Amino acid sequence: MIGKTTARLAATAVAAVSMFSAGAPASAKPELILAIGGEPDNGYDPLLGWGRYGHPLFQSTLLKRDAGLNTVPDLATEWALSDDRKVWTIKLRPDVFFSDGTPLTAEDVAFTFNEAATAGGTLDLTVMDRAEAVNDSTVKIYLERPWVTFSENFYSLGIVPSQEYGPGYARRPVGSGPYRLVSWTEGEQLIVEANSAYYGRRPAFDRLTFVFSGEDTSLAATRTGDVDMVSVPALMADDSIQGFDKIVVPSVDNRGLSFPIPQPGEVNAEGQPVGNAVTSDLAIRRAINLGVDREQLVDVALNGYGRPAYGPADGLPWSNPDATVAYDPDAARAMLDDAGWVPGADGIRVRDGVRAAFDVYFPASDSVRQALSIVVSEQLKALGIAAQPKGVTWEQIGRIDHQQPVMFGWGSHSPVEVYSLYNSAWGGIDFYNPGYFADSTVDGHFSDAQHAESLEQSYPHWQAAEWDGKTGFSARGLAGWAWLVNLDHVYFVNECLNVGETQIEPHGHGWPITAMIEQWTWTCD
């Protein structure tokens, strides 16, 4: 969720223009220049969250997912869970070396998991007791209790070298992934080279340069042939660029409004105010979910590049299709009438002296979230709700997200994200569950899911948490969020570059399009 400030983006754009002006010609292969965003604030340390949506590029993971999201081995050759579902035994492939030439062993895997559990990152390692190396090629991970989503860390936690890890690692990462970092000029560019020690299929491109420029600058550079691939926001997606193909990749990358749930007056453990007098009312939250025209949001704010969203994991096996609500503004207005929200002289509703008004915050650097915030605020006027869009920095959002709705974005290949967004224990942690949603019934369904014998057997419990016929976190139940749209990810790709089959992409931290970079090929002479 962390973004860059407007000022920093402006500086980035200036630097990028300078760099593009001296850019390499498109024929200078096997090097690619990519303008696909994804510069992390905290560097490239998996223990602090880098790669949490998979494919960390510099590091390897125990498992990974193919284009169809099926599990395939990476470092692990065998993995098994004990009968009591509290001990994972993982055997590693023997031919793995870090990019500095040192071998990767079970000690490194155990170190990575143990260190990550105390690193304060965003990984779900709270149930881990310890990880131990049995020998060079076998590691055991002990859990305090069964936890079905623990194995999701096998796809996202890049393994770091125990002897090299320490302060500064995030900016000088050493790993066993397909590429190694050469240089990183923050806010400008990152240069990587193929890792000659990589055990997998060697990528076709020896060198990649990731440029971190603004949307307009990146698109302009593409038109002059200075980059080989650019990701563009939906409002720029109708452009055509000579010599480039447009690739539209479906995603579970969603956007939605968070709702502060408590009444105002509370403070959290950090002393920050929590709650909102308007969104604390269930009728308001459910009416917004009924009265928002998601199809119009897709057409206007996404330029048609997306689909309506009704939950944080639409279409994935753990989402509940019965939790969706149909657009019904009349029912929304009736719901507000019944709840005592009476239209005032200016059309904005009032109840007990409280005006149905709040701010909608979004990162000012993000044109899509800005468009969504503006359009949804206009739609809410028709319900008698005044929503004021406000573009600010992520730092500012971090100071108000417990009190005002925020246009957030999420979307993962794992149900653990659903757990993080709605479980009461995650209230106020990082940007997860910023509105302090809490419900014992939903928590109970989550507990049943986490204690299921397998991920597949957990699916009905995740679905029940969303909507069990009586309640749930969805719009039909307690309406903890108003999910609005799922984005298509749009790329302009040099017509000579074949990226092969793509995954349904997660939220855009990192570079989801590079998930299977080993299959990329250059098709021209």
Side-chain angles (χ1 to χ4, degrees):
M1 301 301 304
I2 305 298
K4 301 293 177 186
T5 66
T6 303
R8 186 169 175 180
L9 273 177
T12 298
V14 171
V17 167
S18 175
M19 187 198 67
F20 287 141
S21 65
S27 60
K29 306 306 174 200
E31 176 180 358
L32 295 178
I33 300 178
L34 311 174
I36 54 176
E39 183 180 33
D41 285 345
N42 296 323
Y44 302 95
D45 185 347
L47 278 58
L48 298 179
W50 167 248
R52 64 188 161 117
Y53 288 102
H55 45 83
L57 194 66
F58 305 117
Q59 297 90 6
S60 303
T61 51
L62 295 175
L63 302 174
K64 56 185 180 180
R65 293 184 171 93
D66 65 13
L69 303 185
N70 303 301
T71 295
V72 294
D74 195 0
L75 290 176
T77 58
E78 299 177 35
W79 54 98
L81 185 61
S82 62
D83 290 341
D84 65 0
R85 289 177 281 132
K86 294 171 64 176
V87 183
W88 279 99
T89 302
I90 300 154
K91 293 189 176 181
L92 308 175
R93 57 186 302 158
D95 56 344
V96 181
F97 293 84
F98 291 108
S99 57
D100 64 358
T102 58
L104 185 154
T105 70
E107 287 286 354
D108 298 301
V109 176
F111 170 84
T112 299
F113 275 81
N114 287 324
E115 195 75 8
T118 60
T122 57
L123 299 164
D124 178 30
L125 294 166
T126 53
V127 299
M128 192 184 82
D129 178 57
R130 68 191 187 281
E132 293 180 352
V134 177
N135 51 44
D136 282 352
S137 61
T138 305
V139 63
K140 285 184 178 290
I141 300 177
Y142 298 87
L143 309 184
E144 295 177 349
R145 58 187 181 278
W147 202 251
V148 74
T149 60
F150 183 82
S151 59
E152 296 302 304
N153 295 294
F154 299 170
Y155 303 86
S156 57
L157 180 55
I159 303 304
V160 302
S162 58
Q163 297 301 312
E164 295 292 332
Y165 185 80
Y169 177 87
R171 280 157 177 77
R172 297 187 301 276
V174 173
S176 56
Y179 282 91
R180 68 177 186 87
L181 188 148
V182 175
S183 67
W184 178 22
T185 306
E186 293 185 47
E188 297 182 21
Q189 66 177 15
L190 172 79
I191 298 175
V192 306
E193 288 183 348
N195 175 13
S196 60
Y198 184 51
Y199 51 88
R201 177 180 172 181
R202 181 178 173 80
F205 301 95
D206 291 335
R207 189 179 179 94
L208 307 176
T209 299
F210 295 84
V211 293
F212 307 122
S213 53
E215 296 164 348
D216 292 332
T217 304
S218 295
L219 193 59
T222 307
R223 293 186 187 284
T224 58
D226 288 317
V227 301
D228 299 295
M229 177 188 293
V230 62
S231 61
V232 297
L235 295 177
M236 296 181 177
D238 273 349
D239 286 10
S240 60
I241 303 175
Q242 186 175 4
F244 281 74
D245 296 325
K246 180 166 63 180
I247 298 179
V248 180
V249 183
S251 84
V252 289
D253 186 3
N254 50 51
R255 298 291 182 271
L257 278 181
S258 62
F259 290 136
I261 304 294
Q263 288 279 352
E266 298 184 19
V267 295
N268 61 17
E270 290 72 39
Q272 298 171 312
V274 172
N276 183 290
V278 179
T279 61
S280 58
D281 183 59
L282 176 59
I284 288 281
R285 303 196 303 270
R286 293 185 67 188
I288 291 173
N289 271 281
L290 283 171
V292 168
D293 185 348
R294 293 169 173 82
E295 294 283 358
Q296 185 185 63
L297 287 171
V298 170
D299 290 341
V300 176
L302 300 187
N303 201 21
Y305 291 93
R307 56 192 168 93
Y310 301 96
D314 288 347
L316 295 174
W318 49 91
S319 70
N320 188 345
D322 294 333
T324 61
V325 293
Y327 172 54
D328 193 340
D330 291 336
R333 282 186 282 267
M335 186 176 290
L336 293 171
D337 290 342
D338 292 344
W341 290 96
V342 179
D346 60 355
I348 303 305
R349 295 174 183 267
V350 179
R351 187 179 73 176
D352 298 333
V354 175
R355 197 164 180 262
F358 49 77
D359 296 326
V360 172
Y361 283 80
F362 63 91
S365 58
D366 189 322
S367 63
V368 171
R369 297 189 208 210
Q370 179 182 26
L372 286 167
S373 299
I374 291 171
V375 177
V376 79
S377 296
E378 287 297 315
Q379 292 181 352
L380 293 182
K381 286 181 182 176
L383 303 181
I385 297 173
Q388 179 63 44
K390 286 194 172 182
V392 296
T393 66
W394 277 109
E395 183 180 8
Q396 291 170 302
I397 287 174
R399 292 199 292 265
I400 55 81
D401 62 333
H402 307 322
Q403 305 170 67
Q404 296 289 340
V406 176
M407 187 66 70
F408 277 113
W410 297 95
S412 167
H413 291 155
S414 166
V416 71
E417 187 165 274
V418 174
Y419 180 84
S420 305
L421 291 171
Y422 287 104
N423 186 272
S424 58
W426 279 74
I429 294 179
D430 201 13
F431 283 117
Y432 296 107
N433 195 359
Y436 284 83
F437 179 91
D439 181 73
S440 59
T441 300
V442 171
D443 284 350
H445 290 310
F446 283 153
S447 179
D448 291 341
Q450 291 289 15
H451 289 83
E453 293 189 7
S454 70
L455 190 62
E456 289 73 18
Q457 292 182 33
S458 75
Y459 292 160
H461 302 297
W462 298 113
Q463 293 169 343
E466 191 168 5
W467 174 245
D468 65 6
K470 294 180 180 178
T471 190
F473 63 69
S474 68
R476 292 189 69 180
L478 299 170
W481 292 62
W483 297 102
L484 301 173
V485 296
N486 291 294
L487 279 62
D488 288 339
H489 290 173
V490 183
Y491 303 90
F492 286 105
V493 180
N494 191 306
E495 62 185 6
C496 294
L497 177 60
N498 178 13
V499 300
E501 192 176 4
T502 59
Q503 294 178 338
I504 296 174
E505 295 189 347
H507 189 55
H509 291 279
W511 309 295
I513 189 69
T514 67
M516 286 168 288
I517 197 168
E518 297 99 319
Q519 71 180 9
W520 290 14
T521 58
W522 191 258
T523 60
C524 301
D525 294 333

